[in-house]
C-alpha cells in the first residue's frame, strides 16, 4: 500500500515543479506574484527566466529518476530537492514577502517533499 502513495506523491510533486517552471517561462509576472515576491514591472526578466528554467529542470530530472531509478534514488533526489523550497522560504522573508507566503507555500512544500523522501526510503 505504501508504494502507490510514495510514488504518487513523488510524481505529483515533480509534475507540479515542471508546471511552476513552465509558468515562470510563460507568465513570469504572475508566477513571481504567486511565489510570494512580486517582480518589478520593468525589472530584469532574466532572473525570472532563470527561476523558471531551474524549476523546469528540477522537475524533469525528478521524472527521469522516477522512470529509470529505484525508490531510494528518488528518495535521495527528494531529500536534496527539499533545499529549494527551504531556500525559497528565506528568499521570500528577506525580500518583503509575507510570512504566510514564506511558511504557507515554501516551508510547507519543503515539509511535503521531505515526507515524500521518507515514504520513498521506506519502500
Amino acid at each position: 500500500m505504501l508504494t502507490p502513495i510514495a510514488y504518487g506523491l513523488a510524481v505529483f510533486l515533480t509534475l507540479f515543479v515542471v508546471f511552476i517552471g513552465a509558468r515562470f517561462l510563460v507568465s513570469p509576472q504572475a508566477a513571481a506574484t504567486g511565489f510570494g515576491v512580486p517582480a518589478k514591472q520593468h525589472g530584469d526578466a532574466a532572473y525570472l527566466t532563470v527561476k523558471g528554467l531551474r524549476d523546469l529542470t528540477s522537475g524533469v530530472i525528478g521524472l527521469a529518476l522516477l522512470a529509470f531509478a529505484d525508490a531510494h534514488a528518488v528518495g535521495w533526489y527528494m531529500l536534496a530537492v527539499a533545499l529549494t523550497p527551504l531556500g525559497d522560504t528565506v528568499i521570500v522573508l528577506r525580500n518583503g514577502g509575507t510570512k504566510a507566503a514564506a511558511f504557507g507555500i515554501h516551508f510547507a512544500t519543503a515539509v511535503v517533499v521531505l515526507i515524500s523522501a521518507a515514504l520513498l526510503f521506506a519502500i
Side-chain angles (χ1 to χ4, degrees):
M1 180 62 183
L2 187 61
T3 302
I5 293 169
Y7 275 107
L9 182 57
V11 167
F12 171 78
L13 289 169
T14 54
L15 286 174
F16 191 64
V17 171
V18 167
F19 167 77
I20 291 169
R23 186 171 183 222
F24 265 93
L25 294 173
V26 173
S27 184
Q29 294 293 328
T33 299
F35 178 81
V37 181
K40 294 177 181 149
Q41 191 62 27
H42 299 290
D44 190 350
Y47 288 109
L48 298 178
T49 304
V50 168
K51 163 87 169 107
L53 186 58
R54 175 194 78 170
D55 286 348
L56 183 65
T57 300
S58 292
V60 170
I61 291 168
L63 291 173
L65 283 170
L66 281 161
F68 301 110
D70 66 9
H72 287 241
V74 180
W76 282 109
Y77 162 80
M78 289 296 198
L79 191 62
V81 133
L83 293 172
T84 300
L86 288 171
D88 290 346
T89 302
V90 174
I91 290 167
V92 169
L93 291 172
R94 284 187 165 179
N95 290 281
T98 65
K99 288 182 181 179
F103 294 106
I105 298 169
H106 302 290
F107 189 79
T109 299
V111 169
V112 173
V113 172
L114 291 171
I115 289 169
S116 176
L119 290 172
L120 290 161
F121 285 134
I123 294 176

